[in-house]
Every structure is written in C-alpha cells, then in structure tokens.
C-alpha cells in the first residue's frame, strides 16, 4: 500500500532455505525448536534491517511449510 501520494513503493519477495537452522517439517514446533526459530528470525531481521538502512522499511519473515498454503500454517514476524 502507498502511504504517501507520490512516494516510492517497492516490494521484494524472496524465498530462501535456511542452512543454519534445520527444523522438522511440522505445523507445531516443540518449545525448544520454537525458541530457536524465534531467535533465528530476530537475527535475520536484524541483518536485513542493517542492510536496508531505512527506518521506514517493513520486513516480514514467514516460516512456510511445503504443500501448505493456508495463512494459519504460516508463522510470520513483522518489524
């Protein structure tokens, strides 16, 4: 969505496989795995935020399970 008339708007969408944290393909993770995932998402968000160097950027990271398309099965984090 464009929040300012005349403001530039750009969306980049990437699909990446994390080679640092390998979790089971399960809808619900165990407590320890969920903590690891939350920490990994924070690390990725910090790296992307630093690379973008733009305080107004919106970052959304999702854990996607292959073969699942419903939004309730996609865990998201926003900043």
């Amino acid at each position: 969505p464009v929040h300012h008339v005349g403001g530039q708007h750009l969306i980049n969408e990437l699909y990446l496989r994390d080679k640092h944290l390998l979790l089971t393909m399960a809808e619900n993770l165990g407590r320890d795995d969920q903590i690891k995932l939350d920490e990994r998402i924070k690390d990725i968000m910090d790296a992307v935020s630093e690379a973008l160097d733009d305080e107004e950027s919106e970052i959304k990271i999702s854990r996607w399970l292959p073969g699942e398309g419903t939004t309730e099965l996609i865990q998201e984090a926003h900043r």
Side-chain angles (χ1 to χ4, degrees):
V2 177
H3 299 289
H4 330 287
V5 175
Q8 292 183 351
H9 186 82
L10 176 67
I11 296 175
N12 284 322
E13 191 170 357
L14 303 171
Y15 295 88
L16 306 171
R17 182 175 185 171
D18 191 347
K19 295 182 179 183
H20 297 281
L21 180 62
L22 302 175
L23 300 173
T24 59
M25 293 291 180
E27 182 178 339
N28 297 307
L29 296 173
R31 182 177 173 269
D32 290 342
D33 282 347
Q34 187 63 52
I35 290 170
K36 290 176 188 175
L37 176 61
D38 293 342
E39 289 173 358
R40 183 67 178 138
I41 287 173
K42 182 190 176 304
D43 291 344
I44 293 170
M45 282 202 174
D46 290 346
V48 172
S49 292
E50 185 178 331
L52 290 176
D53 193 29
D54 182 358
E55 293 178 10
E56 294 184 22
S57 294
E58 179 183 340
I59 302 166
K60 180 172 80 171
I61 296 178
S62 303
R63 178 176 184 249
W64 176 76
L65 300 174
E68 304 297 341
T70 58
T71 56
E72 60 268 10
L73 296 180
I74 300 173
Q75 299 175 0
E76 295 182 345
H78 299 266
R79 179 180 294 168

